[in-house]
Amino acid sequence: MKEDFYSILGITKNATAAEIKKAYRKKAIEYHPDKNPGDTKAEEMFKKAAEAYEVLSDPNKKARYDQYGHAAFEGAAGGGGFGGMNMDDIFSQFGDIFGGGGFGGFSGFGGGGQRRVKGSNLRIKVKLTLEEIANGVEKKVKVRRKVQAEGVTYKNCSTCNGSGQVTKIANTILGRMQTSATCGTCGGSGQIIDKRPSNADAQGLIAKEETVSIKIPGGVEDGMQLKVSGKGNSAPGNGVAGDLIVLIETEEHSTLKREGDNLHYDLYISISEAILGTSKEIDAVGGKVRIKLEEGIQSGKILRLRGKGITSLNGYGSGDLLVHVNVWTPKELNKEQRDFFERMSEHENFTPQPEKSDKSFFEKVKDMFS
């Protein structure tokens, strides 16, 4: 089982944004590769801390994680979700976490050396049916993204001499002060384009259509976002590609209504069917199912088909299909029908005699949410 993000950073769920940042900074320093050369365990902890910070430092991601756990991010990025971060991802995204270059001696952080530029993210919408949401689905979508053109070559930036940083010395009342900043010419990569084909843009990129496979876990909801790492626009030079952000949209089902992991179905039967009993074929995700209604079934009865709902996003089984029985009363009767019901209106069998086991409306609603 994947380790809890709060445990990785050594904080509680009610930690403030400042406390989260401070905890990550502490872990990053402790397990930084430059301080632990060749230590694979330290490198793994370094990546885990960065992954935890990526989620917990973002209010939207944190809220989803608090509600669904790791399952909120599973299924994207080729099965990695928000995981699978490499060193380039960490250094490019969180290089400013230490601020001011105070830890510039660590590669990729602060003011020390080149940094790999990250390409821009792309955003798409994917519409899913209830059947696709029920158990998860793999979608193949066409994405037009920028990639490096063939024949592009780079050379060291003349402004920073390939270091990615420019140093300035200023005379102040406290003496000579030296500051370092990211090179504005190369964006910190230390490289600029030397040669590029005519069809490439100023960054040496061209637009290309690509088919991307997206694994979507069961139980996602409308408005959720998944991330496919590295499938956004490429970055110039040896930069890190951006991400593909996938917004989930859901199609409304004709007969089934979703409520969390449960599904609801309104079943209408005639008075005769309610009295004599019957069997009915109803809609369910994955196909039709047949249910049996006993003699004398009451209107408002709720039948629960366990496990016939939506797969839980947190991995705890599936919801149920709740069938709401509604006895339909005809609005018009012919003379023979009216005579029959008039004769029966005084019969004891047609006098309401609810049993103690018959639940009230409020009890039925309570059962639906239990």
Side-chain angles (χ1 to χ4, degrees):
M1 182 177 292
K2 197 167 185 178
E3 193 173 350
D4 178 69
F5 284 155
Y6 291 101
S7 298
I8 291 173
L9 296 184
I11 55 177
T12 61
K13 280 192 174 182
N14 57 4
T16 64
E19 290 171 336
I20 293 172
K21 185 174 183 179
K22 182 179 179 181
Y24 169 59
R25 184 177 185 272
K26 181 180 179 181
K27 293 292 183 182
I29 293 174
E30 180 181 356
Y31 295 111
H32 196 287
D34 284 357
K35 291 187 67 178
N36 303 273
D39 188 338
T40 56
K41 186 175 180 180
E43 181 177 331
E44 185 62 28
M45 288 300 299
F46 183 73
K47 291 179 180 179
K48 284 184 178 180
E51 182 184 3
Y53 179 71
E54 179 190 28
V55 173
L56 300 183
S57 62
D58 184 305
N60 292 327
K61 294 178 187 176
K62 183 178 183 297
R64 288 163 55 197
Y65 179 75
D66 288 345
Q67 184 174 4
Y68 300 108
H70 293 295
F73 310 115
E74 290 174 357
F82 281 89
M85 297 183 71
N86 57 40
M87 290 302 190
D88 292 328
D89 291 331
I90 299 169
F91 291 149
S92 64
Q93 292 184 48
F94 309 133
D96 63 345
I97 194 69
F98 297 102
F103 292 84
F106 293 161
S107 58
F109 287 92
Q114 300 177 357
R115 69 181 182 90
R116 300 184 72 180
V117 179
K118 185 171 183 178
S120 58
N121 293 339
L122 293 176
R123 298 179 183 274
I124 62 169
K125 295 179 180 179
V126 172
K127 186 167 288 189
L128 303 176
T129 65
L130 191 60
E131 287 77 12
E132 290 172 327
I133 291 171
N135 298 302
V137 67
E138 184 172 353
K139 285 281 190 180
K140 294 185 183 297
V141 298
K142 290 185 177 180
V143 177
R144 193 168 181 81
R145 54 190 295 257
K146 288 186 175 182
V147 298
Q148 185 171 298
E150 291 186 12
V152 174
T153 59
Y154 294 86
K155 62 182 180 180
N156 281 346
C157 173
S158 57
T159 302
C160 64
N161 294 320
S163 69
Q165 301 285 315
V166 290
T167 302
K168 295 181 180 179
I169 299 176
N171 293 317
T172 70
I173 58 174
L174 299 176
R176 290 166 61 84
M177 299 290 290
Q178 178 176 302
T179 59
S180 295
T182 300
C183 177
T185 302
C186 63
S189 68
Q191 296 179 317
I192 57 174
I193 290 181
D194 182 25
K195 296 179 182 179
R196 63 182 173 88
S198 59
N199 62 335
D201 63 16
Q203 294 182 313
L205 306 176
I206 59 171
K208 183 179 180 181
E209 189 172 78
E210 181 179 333
T211 300
V212 178
S213 180
I214 306 169
K215 291 183 179 180
I216 301 173
V220 294
E221 297 183 16
D222 190 85
M224 276 189 173
Q225 291 188 118
L226 304 178
K227 182 179 77 172
V228 184
S229 297
K231 290 301 181 180
N233 289 322
S234 295
N238 295 317
V240 180
D243 304 319
L244 178 63
I245 308 300
V246 183
L247 175 66
I248 300 297
E249 290 188 341
T250 59
E251 296 180 2
E252 187 174 344
H253 195 276
S254 58
T255 58
L256 296 172
K257 303 298 180 185
R258 181 181 181 183
E259 182 182 48
D261 294 336
N262 292 332
L263 295 174
H264 296 268
Y265 181 90
D266 277 314
L267 175 62
Y268 288 87
I269 61 174
S270 68
I271 292 179
S272 300
E273 290 173 323
I275 294 173
L276 302 175
T278 186
S279 65
K280 289 285 186 178
E281 192 176 68
I282 65 171
D283 291 329
V285 289
K288 301 279 187 178
V289 296
R290 182 167 289 276
I291 61 173
K292 185 177 180 180
L293 307 178
E294 74 270 13
E295 295 179 6
I297 194 168
Q298 300 297 310
S299 185
K301 178 81 171 180
I302 300 174
L303 305 178
R304 184 184 293 267
L305 305 184
R306 297 197 178 277
K308 293 293 185 181
I310 303 294
T311 298
S312 177
L313 188 61
N314 60 21
Y316 299 135
S318 299
D320 303 326
L321 172 57
L322 302 173
V323 182
H324 302 259
V325 178
N326 303 281
V327 178
W328 184 79
T329 305
K331 295 182 179 180
E332 296 182 1
L333 299 173
N334 59 30
K335 187 177 184 306
E336 181 182 0
Q337 293 166 340
R338 180 173 292 277
D339 289 343
F340 171 78
F341 282 106
E342 286 178 349
R343 291 196 308 271
M344 294 298 105
S345 63
E346 301 299 328
H347 196 285
E348 61 179 9
N349 279 353
F350 283 79
T351 301
Q353 298 177 5
E355 299 177 357
K356 290 184 178 181
S357 60
D358 292 335
K359 295 182 179 180
S360 69
F361 170 78
F362 297 103
E363 289 174 322
K364 291 173 183 176
V365 172
K366 182 179 179 181
D367 285 347
M368 285 169 52
F369 294 96
S370 62

